mmCIF file of all heavy atoms in Angstrom:
data_model
loop_
_atom_site.group_PDB
_atom_site.id
_atom_site.type_symbol
_atom_site.label_atom_id
_atom_site.label_comp_id
_atom_site.label_asym_id
_atom_site.label_seq_id
_atom_site.Cartn_x
_atom_site.Cartn_y
_atom_site.Cartn_z
ATOM 1 N N LEU H 60 89.030 88.762 112.644
ATOM 2 C CA LEU H 60 87.996 87.910 112.249
ATOM 3 C C LEU H 60 88.220 87.175 110.911
ATOM 4 O O LEU H 60 87.751 86.249 110.517
ATOM 5 C CB LEU H 60 86.674 88.483 112.203
ATOM 6 C CG LEU H 60 86.077 88.999 113.549
ATOM 7 C CD1 LEU H 60 84.734 89.722 113.380
ATOM 8 C CD2 LEU H 60 86.035 87.854 114.565
ATOM 9 N N CYS H 61 89.227 87.817 110.138
ATOM 10 C CA CYS H 61 89.636 87.258 108.763
ATOM 11 C C CYS H 61 90.519 86.088 108.923
ATOM 12 O O CYS H 61 90.720 85.413 108.066
ATOM 13 C CB CYS H 61 90.235 88.346 107.909
ATOM 14 S SG CYS H 61 91.770 89.092 108.662
ATOM 15 N N HIS H 62 91.167 85.826 110.191
ATOM 16 C CA HIS H 62 91.973 84.708 110.372
ATOM 17 C C HIS H 62 91.612 83.928 111.631
ATOM 18 O O HIS H 62 92.161 84.110 112.672
ATOM 19 C CB HIS H 62 93.504 85.128 110.668
ATOM 20 C CG HIS H 62 94.106 85.650 109.386
ATOM 21 N ND1 HIS H 62 94.389 84.806 108.373
ATOM 22 C CD2 HIS H 62 94.671 86.851 109.073
ATOM 23 C CE1 HIS H 62 95.071 85.556 107.484
ATOM 24 N NE2 HIS H 62 95.224 86.787 107.833
ATOM 25 N N ARG H 63 90.735 83.061 111.384
ATOM 26 C CA ARG H 63 90.449 82.206 112.604
ATOM 27 C C ARG H 63 91.157 80.931 112.539
ATOM 28 O O ARG H 63 91.554 80.363 113.561
ATOM 29 C CB ARG H 63 88.858 81.859 112.466
ATOM 30 C CG ARG H 63 88.042 82.962 113.008
ATOM 31 C CD ARG H 63 88.388 83.187 114.507
ATOM 32 N NE ARG H 63 88.018 84.555 114.933
ATOM 33 C CZ ARG H 63 88.602 85.214 115.776
ATOM 34 N NH1 ARG H 63 89.724 84.778 116.358
ATOM 35 N NH2 ARG H 63 88.318 86.445 116.095
ATOM 36 N N LEU H 64 91.399 80.341 111.351
ATOM 37 C CA LEU H 64 92.190 79.160 111.184
ATOM 38 C C LEU H 64 93.502 79.260 110.474
ATOM 39 O O LEU H 64 94.309 78.318 110.477
ATOM 40 C CB LEU H 64 91.400 78.141 110.529
ATOM 41 C CG LEU H 64 90.039 77.770 111.239
ATOM 42 C CD1 LEU H 64 89.242 76.832 110.445
ATOM 43 C CD2 LEU H 64 90.260 77.220 112.691
ATOM 44 N N ASP H 65 93.717 80.418 109.723
ATOM 45 C CA ASP H 65 94.881 80.551 108.927
ATOM 46 C C ASP H 65 96.099 80.831 109.785
ATOM 47 O O ASP H 65 95.974 81.302 110.950
ATOM 48 C CB ASP H 65 94.706 81.775 107.925
ATOM 49 C CG ASP H 65 93.583 81.475 106.941
ATOM 50 O OD1 ASP H 65 93.280 80.289 106.739
ATOM 51 O OD2 ASP H 65 93.092 82.437 106.290
ATOM 52 N N VAL H 66 97.283 80.697 109.273
ATOM 53 C CA VAL H 66 98.479 80.902 110.068
ATOM 54 C C VAL H 66 99.214 82.172 109.535
ATOM 55 O O VAL H 66 100.186 82.500 110.145
ATOM 56 C CB VAL H 66 99.374 79.750 110.034
ATOM 57 C CG1 VAL H 66 98.807 78.537 110.759
ATOM 58 C CG2 VAL H 66 99.805 79.365 108.689
ATOM 59 N N ASP H 67 98.654 82.855 108.486
ATOM 60 C CA ASP H 67 99.297 84.022 107.997
ATOM 61 C C ASP H 67 99.361 85.080 109.125
ATOM 62 O O ASP H 67 98.455 85.130 109.920
ATOM 63 C CB ASP H 67 98.544 84.548 106.795
ATOM 64 C CG ASP H 67 98.682 83.714 105.610
ATOM 65 O OD1 ASP H 67 99.541 82.846 105.580
ATOM 66 O OD2 ASP H 67 97.805 83.747 104.679
ATOM 67 N N ASP H 68 100.362 86.043 108.957
ATOM 68 C CA ASP H 68 100.529 87.063 109.946
ATOM 69 C C ASP H 68 100.175 88.428 109.241
ATOM 70 O O ASP H 68 100.765 89.423 109.559
ATOM 71 C CB ASP H 68 101.786 87.083 110.571
ATOM 72 C CG ASP H 68 101.864 87.772 111.943
ATOM 73 O OD1 ASP H 68 100.690 87.833 112.518
ATOM 74 O OD2 ASP H 68 102.884 88.185 112.428
ATOM 75 N N ALA H 69 99.267 88.349 108.248
ATOM 76 C CA ALA H 69 98.713 89.627 107.624
ATOM 77 C C ALA H 69 97.173 89.474 107.438
ATOM 78 O O ALA H 69 96.713 88.304 107.304
ATOM 79 C CB ALA H 69 99.417 89.863 106.263
ATOM 80 N N PRO H 70 96.530 90.601 107.397
ATOM 81 C CA PRO H 70 95.067 90.369 107.235
ATOM 82 C C PRO H 70 94.728 90.031 105.894
ATOM 83 O O PRO H 70 95.396 90.073 104.914
ATOM 84 C CB PRO H 70 94.558 91.934 107.401
ATOM 85 C CG PRO H 70 95.720 92.753 107.093
ATOM 86 C CD PRO H 70 96.952 91.914 107.426
ATOM 87 N N ARG H 71 93.595 89.316 105.690
ATOM 88 C CA ARG H 71 92.961 88.982 104.470
ATOM 89 C C ARG H 71 91.884 90.021 104.200
ATOM 90 O O ARG H 71 90.766 90.015 104.698
ATOM 91 C CB ARG H 71 92.283 87.653 104.653
ATOM 92 C CG ARG H 71 93.238 86.476 104.730
ATOM 93 C CD ARG H 71 94.006 86.099 103.470
ATOM 94 N NE ARG H 71 93.105 86.031 102.318
ATOM 95 C CZ ARG H 71 92.500 84.945 101.800
ATOM 96 N NH1 ARG H 71 93.005 83.688 102.366
ATOM 97 N NH2 ARG H 71 91.751 84.912 100.892
ATOM 98 N N LEU H 72 92.344 91.002 103.447
ATOM 99 C CA LEU H 72 91.458 92.255 103.226
ATOM 100 C C LEU H 72 90.176 91.804 102.291
ATOM 101 O O LEU H 72 89.228 92.541 102.386
ATOM 102 C CB LEU H 72 92.221 93.293 102.501
ATOM 103 C CG LEU H 72 93.337 93.937 103.294
ATOM 104 C CD1 LEU H 72 94.083 94.961 102.571
ATOM 105 C CD2 LEU H 72 92.867 94.405 104.753
ATOM 106 N N ASP H 73 90.229 90.690 101.719
ATOM 107 C CA ASP H 73 88.922 90.221 100.991
ATOM 108 C C ASP H 73 87.988 89.523 102.016
ATOM 109 O O ASP H 73 86.921 89.194 101.577
ATOM 110 C CB ASP H 73 89.362 89.278 99.827
ATOM 111 C CG ASP H 73 90.091 87.995 100.333
ATOM 112 O OD1 ASP H 73 90.819 88.063 101.390
ATOM 113 O OD2 ASP H 73 90.025 86.990 99.652
ATOM 114 N N ARG H 74 88.408 89.372 103.307
ATOM 115 C CA ARG H 74 87.452 88.818 104.302
ATOM 116 C C ARG H 74 87.141 89.736 105.490
ATOM 117 O O ARG H 74 86.768 89.311 106.524
ATOM 118 C CB ARG H 74 88.228 87.541 104.848
ATOM 119 C CG ARG H 74 88.387 86.421 103.942
ATOM 120 C CD ARG H 74 88.984 85.237 104.697
ATOM 121 N NE ARG H 74 89.294 84.096 103.893
ATOM 122 C CZ ARG H 74 89.957 83.128 104.349
ATOM 123 N NH1 ARG H 74 90.354 83.014 105.569
ATOM 124 N NH2 ARG H 74 90.275 82.071 103.451
ATOM 125 N N CYS H 75 87.125 91.054 105.212
ATOM 126 C CA CYS H 75 86.876 91.950 106.250
ATOM 127 C C CYS H 75 85.450 91.752 106.792
ATOM 128 O O CYS H 75 84.520 91.608 105.890
ATOM 129 C CB CYS H 75 86.996 93.356 105.801
ATOM 130 S SG CYS H 75 88.597 93.979 105.780
ATOM 131 N N ARG H 76 85.144 91.826 108.039
ATOM 132 C CA ARG H 76 83.878 91.583 108.598
ATOM 133 C C ARG H 76 83.567 92.927 109.415
ATOM 134 O O ARG H 76 84.424 93.459 110.135
ATOM 135 C CB ARG H 76 83.947 90.455 109.761
ATOM 136 C CG ARG H 76 84.346 89.162 109.055
ATOM 137 C CD ARG H 76 83.316 88.605 108.261
ATOM 138 N NE ARG H 76 83.609 87.252 107.683
ATOM 139 C CZ ARG H 76 83.955 87.180 106.293
ATOM 140 N NH1 ARG H 76 83.790 88.159 105.594
ATOM 141 N NH2 ARG H 76 84.251 85.951 105.982
ATOM 142 N N PRO H 77 82.395 93.458 109.265
ATOM 143 C CA PRO H 77 81.944 94.689 109.886
ATOM 144 C C PRO H 77 82.094 94.637 111.522
ATOM 145 O O PRO H 77 82.171 95.650 112.053
ATOM 146 C CB PRO H 77 80.491 94.828 109.513
ATOM 147 C CG PRO H 77 80.299 94.095 108.311
ATOM 148 C CD PRO H 77 81.307 92.850 108.349
ATOM 149 N N SER H 78 81.987 93.435 112.054
ATOM 150 C CA SER H 78 82.076 93.407 113.527
ATOM 151 C C SER H 78 83.547 93.123 113.994
ATOM 152 O O SER H 78 83.768 92.942 115.263
ATOM 153 C CB SER H 78 81.214 92.225 113.952
ATOM 154 O OG SER H 78 81.560 91.052 113.380
ATOM 155 N N CYS H 79 84.587 93.173 113.210
ATOM 156 C CA CYS H 79 85.923 92.982 113.623
ATOM 157 C C CYS H 79 86.477 94.128 114.496
ATOM 158 O O CYS H 79 86.223 95.293 114.290
ATOM 159 C CB CYS H 79 86.867 92.805 112.335
ATOM 160 S SG CYS H 79 88.577 92.404 112.673
ATOM 161 N N ALA H 80 87.176 93.662 115.458
ATOM 162 C CA ALA H 80 87.748 94.696 116.476
ATOM 163 C C ALA H 80 88.871 95.437 115.760
ATOM 164 O O ALA H 80 89.440 96.325 116.507
ATOM 165 C CB ALA H 80 88.262 93.998 117.727
ATOM 166 N N ASN H 81 89.342 95.064 114.690
ATOM 167 C CA ASN H 81 90.499 95.749 113.977
ATOM 168 C C ASN H 81 90.056 96.940 113.013
ATOM 169 O O ASN H 81 90.959 97.517 112.459
ATOM 170 C CB ASN H 81 91.336 94.622 113.311
ATOM 171 C CG ASN H 81 92.092 93.793 114.107
ATOM 172 O OD1 ASN H 81 92.322 94.041 115.249
ATOM 173 N ND2 ASN H 81 92.469 92.577 113.567
ATOM 174 N N ILE H 82 88.823 97.227 112.916
ATOM 175 C CA ILE H 82 88.395 98.090 112.003
ATOM 176 C C ILE H 82 88.421 99.597 112.541
ATOM 177 O O ILE H 82 88.077 99.781 113.604
ATOM 178 C CB ILE H 82 86.870 97.779 111.572
ATOM 179 C CG1 ILE H 82 86.900 96.504 110.693
ATOM 180 C CG2 ILE H 82 86.176 98.990 110.850
ATOM 181 C CD1 ILE H 82 85.563 96.094 110.262
ATOM 182 N N ALA H 83 88.654 100.460 111.652
ATOM 183 C CA ALA H 83 88.648 101.985 111.768
ATOM 184 C C ALA H 83 88.120 102.552 110.657
ATOM 185 O O ALA H 83 88.602 102.176 109.518
ATOM 186 C CB ALA H 83 89.976 102.497 112.351
ATOM 187 N N ARG H 84 87.455 103.667 110.731
ATOM 188 C CA ARG H 84 87.026 104.441 109.612
ATOM 189 C C ARG H 84 87.330 105.918 109.777
ATOM 190 O O ARG H 84 87.104 106.508 110.883
ATOM 191 C CB ARG H 84 85.411 104.305 109.386
ATOM 192 C CG ARG H 84 85.197 103.043 108.580
ATOM 193 C CD ARG H 84 83.651 103.212 108.129
ATOM 194 N NE ARG H 84 83.323 101.865 107.303
ATOM 195 C CZ ARG H 84 83.104 100.805 107.852
ATOM 196 N NH1 ARG H 84 82.787 100.735 109.184
ATOM 197 N NH2 ARG H 84 82.853 99.776 107.104
#
Side-chain angles (χ1 to χ4, degrees):
L60 294 181
C61 62
H62 284 300
R63 285 292 161 215
L64 302 174
D65 295 344
V66 294
D67 290 340
D68 205 20
R71 291 287 310 263
L72 297 179
D73 60 330
R74 292 186 188 172
C75 280
R76 304 285 178 251
S78 58
C79 185
N81 289 336
I82 288 176
R84 279 195 175 84

